[in-house]
Amino acid sequence: MFHATFKGGPLLAALLISTAAHAELTADQVWTNWKAVSAASGQTVTAASEAREGDTLAIKGLTIVSTFDGGSINGTIEAVNFRELGDGTVEVTMSPEYPVVVNSIESDGRKSVINVAVRQPDLKIIASGSEAETRYDFTAPFVKAVVSDVTVEEKPIEMTLEVDVTALGGSYLVTAGTPKQLASSITADSAAVTLAMTDPETGGKINMKGNVSDLVGNSTGNLLDTAMMADMSQALKAGFATDGSLAYGAGTFEFDMAEAADTTKGSATIGSGNIVFALDADRLNYGGGSKDVEVTLSGAWSPLPSVAMSYGEAAFNLLMPVSKSDEPGDFAFLMKLVDFTLSDDVWSLLDPEKVLPRDPATIVIDTGGKANWGVDIMDPDGAEELADDTMPVQLHALDVTNLTLKAAGAEVTGDGAFTFDNADTTTFPGVPLPTGQLDLKIVGANGLVDKLVQMGLLPEDQAMSARMMMGLFANAVEGSDDTLTSTLEFKEKGLFVNGQRLQ
């Protein structure tokens, strides 16, 4: 049911983008193009009446219907006015509020209806430029979407959902052609979400609210019609592309859940964050991060009054080729958690004698390289080949830019680079033959082993085995306290550790 709620996004976007993105220099051309673009994207647009009132084309009773698998979205706007400003531009204004109804049938056959009220007083769109390249600027003091009426199988669900965006502004630049090119930017002072819901079966309740400030988004892309987008593999080959980012500033989040005798509460603050995304015939990229995050949780499940944790920075990024090709493309993987801390009361449960140092923990895995797909992963038929025994991807190079693990007074750092011969998968069975090395530095490992023995978490015989392994595979750094180095090297079709051949 709630998946269908978010299906309303394309309709709300269409009301802004399709109007603005195809406006011409006259009001009639704007309206004509709006209907044509909506029809091409699978939407049905009708109006109760159309009338010229001086420099304005007035549309009454505008209805837009969009269908999706298992349901439909219906939006009705009482009035839309296209006013020619006399300087070659067209101003588009709409009713300050309009309803949207989402009808859907879930996979289990249940029917749901969600009623949304969209409020956007003083929203204005100005179209300027030429038919070949048109710029559209829009502003709104605020835009609010309110969900207050939800039914499943004609039974009401107790739920209220509000989304508020303040001081919204931005622009679109549309360049005609096949495919059309779109560049956009958007800003907002804040965005907030509030949710209150009661589970009709268990009576459990959830309340949630969150907000972020200083939103800035940018995107570019090539647009195709809906029919071509049905097959992503073909759409990419035809030129579909998107590339964008969203950054935001300080934010807060709070929630509480109650079910029977069990309750959970939580809150969080964030200093800033960002999201990046890109998709075209050459690559898929998705990533994001956040900084200065603090989280507090409490509930009957915890032996402590509350559990608190924080971190200085977290980040994730994935880049990879998406098309079948004999030529290797770039890939990258980043996972980062910097200066992660737990509150002292949590540490006291884990280590009441304060044996372990409570320094902030950090983990960083930053890699990149070259690889290519032997199948088209965007093609359903190609995706089926992923289940076969044949290797669907060839790895050509791997660069370990940063490997860091720091916790409990010990630290491991490393970097390295490898190349791979895909013609040889027998020397190391099932793996292309690697060449290259990884250099590691280990600080505080022996001290950590001693502390784990002291805490009773590591038996002495296992600790001795661990020390023997470190002695075999690592070299002590002369003049340094508890510092080891190790070099893992693939060469001459073998594996060497610190110059000793192991395979």
Side-chain angles (χ1 to χ4, degrees):
M1 176 184 70
F2 300 108
H3 175 70
T5 303
F6 300 99
K7 293 285 188 177
L11 174 66
L12 301 182
L15 296 175
L16 293 176
I17 299 174
S18 62
T19 302
H22 295 273
E24 300 290 347
L25 298 180
T26 69
D28 295 277
Q29 289 173 326
V30 173
W31 173 230
T32 299
N33 283 330
W34 189 359
K35 291 186 290 184
V37 171
S38 296
S41 59
Q43 298 174 337
T44 302
V45 178
T46 58
S49 67
E50 305 175 22
R52 260 287 183 174
E53 300 174 359
D55 59 5
T56 300
L57 175 62
I59 307 299
K60 305 295 185 183
L62 175 66
T63 299
I64 299 179
V65 178
S66 178
T67 60
F68 59 90
D69 187 19
S72 65
I73 305 169
N74 301 267
T76 302
I77 306 176
E78 182 180 350
V80 179
N81 294 317
F82 302 88
R83 184 166 72 98
E84 297 163 356
L85 299 181
D87 58 359
T89 65
V90 175
E91 176 189 72
V92 183
T93 57
M94 305 179 193
S95 300
E97 181 174 339
Y98 61 89
V100 175
V101 181
V102 182
N103 295 279
S104 64
I105 301 177
E106 301 301 305
S107 57
D108 58 5
R110 295 190 303 169
K111 297 180 180 180
S112 65
V113 180
I114 302 172
N115 288 282
V116 185
V118 180
R119 299 164 187 164
Q120 50 181 26
D122 300 320
L123 170 67
K124 291 183 180 180
I125 305 170
I126 303 294
S128 62
S130 65
E131 182 178 0
E133 186 174 83
T134 312
R135 177 185 173 92
Y136 308 91
D137 295 277
F138 62 89
T139 58
F142 72 87
V143 174
K144 173 180 283 193
V146 180
V147 177
S148 57
D149 184 6
V150 179
T151 61
V152 177
E153 292 295 291
E154 299 183 352
K155 296 180 180 179
I157 302 297
E158 188 178 337
M159 186 187 81
T160 301
L161 173 64
E162 295 187 5
V163 179
D164 293 271
V165 180
T166 65
L168 180 67
S171 66
Y172 295 88
L173 179 65
V174 180
T175 303
T178 304
K180 291 181 176 63
Q181 298 178 11
L182 171 65
S184 68
S185 64
I186 187 171
T187 62
D189 281 359
S190 67
V193 177
T194 303
L195 170 67
M197 177 181 169
T198 300
D199 190 315
E201 297 180 358
T202 66
K205 297 180 179 294
I206 179 171
N207 294 281
M208 181 189 74
K209 62 180 179 179
N211 68 83
V212 292
S213 63
D214 303 325
L215 290 90
V216 178
N218 295 280
S219 67
T220 60
N222 298 333
L223 305 181
L224 303 173
D225 61 39
T226 303
M228 295 193 69
M229 291 302 297
D231 186 333
M232 183 55 68
S233 175
Q234 294 302 315
L236 292 173
K237 293 174 183 176
F240 170 76
T242 181
D243 189 343
S245 65
L246 174 67
Y248 52 90
T252 62
F253 175 77
E254 297 178 7
F255 77 92
D256 65 80
M257 295 186 297
E259 188 168 357
D262 192 11
T263 60
T264 300
K265 293 184 178 181
S267 63
T269 61
I270 183 172
S272 62
N274 75 297
I275 299 170
V276 297
F277 58 90
L279 177 62
D280 57 38
D282 296 323
R283 58 173 178 150
L284 165 68
N285 185 206
Y286 178 76
S290 55
K291 294 183 178 181
D292 301 326
V293 173
E294 297 182 1
V295 179
T296 302
L297 300 172
S298 63
W301 49 268
S302 173
L304 299 172
S306 65
V307 175
M309 62 192 76
S310 67
Y311 59 82
E313 181 182 3
F316 169 84
N317 190 67
L318 173 66
L319 169 69
M320 69 176 187
V322 295
S323 299
K324 179 179 179 180
S325 175
D326 293 330
E327 295 296 323
D330 293 331
F331 78 85
F333 176 77
L334 169 68
M335 183 177 69
K336 177 189 291 187
L337 181 63
V338 178
D339 291 341
F340 176 79
T341 64
L342 292 170
S343 54
D344 284 340
D345 50 357
V346 178
W347 267 112
S348 296
L349 286 177
L350 304 174
D351 180 22
E353 300 300 324
K354 296 184 178 181
V355 176
L356 294 174
R358 300 182 179 182
D359 302 333
T362 292
I363 180 171
V364 179
I365 301 174
D366 189 358
T367 65
K370 295 283 188 178
N372 68 284
W373 289 103
V375 297
D376 187 346
I377 61 173
M378 292 295 178
D379 184 342
D381 294 333
E384 291 179 1
E385 296 180 37
L386 294 176
D388 296 342
D389 294 333
T390 56
M391 183 66 68
V393 63
Q394 289 188 331
L395 179 63
H396 297 267
L398 173 64
D399 297 326
V400 182
T401 305
N402 185 359
L403 176 64
T404 299
L405 176 60
K406 181 172 66 174
E411 181 177 11
V412 178
T413 58
D415 58 63
F418 302 89
T419 59
F420 297 86
D421 181 1
N422 287 275
D424 183 350
T425 57
T426 57
T427 300
F428 295 94
V431 179
L433 178 66
T435 300
Q437 70 180 49
L438 176 68
D439 296 312
L440 298 172
K441 181 179 180 181
I442 308 164
V443 178
N446 284 299
L448 177 58
V449 170
D450 292 339
K451 290 179 173 63
L452 293 176
V453 172
Q454 181 181 344
M455 295 172 64
L457 298 177
L458 185 66
E460 184 61 51
D461 58 339
Q462 295 183 19
M464 182 177 298
S465 297
R467 293 188 183 96
M468 291 177 61
M469 292 293 291
M470 286 189 288
L472 288 173
F473 297 110
N475 296 322
V477 177
E478 187 176 350
S480 298
D481 182 26
D482 199 2
T483 300
L484 305 171
T485 61
S486 183
T487 298
L488 283 70
E489 187 174 10
F490 289 94
K491 63 180 181 179
E492 301 170 4
K493 295 189 175 183
L495 170 61
F496 295 75
V497 176
N498 296 327
Q500 297 182 354
R501 184 166 189 147
L502 299 184
Q503 182 175 345

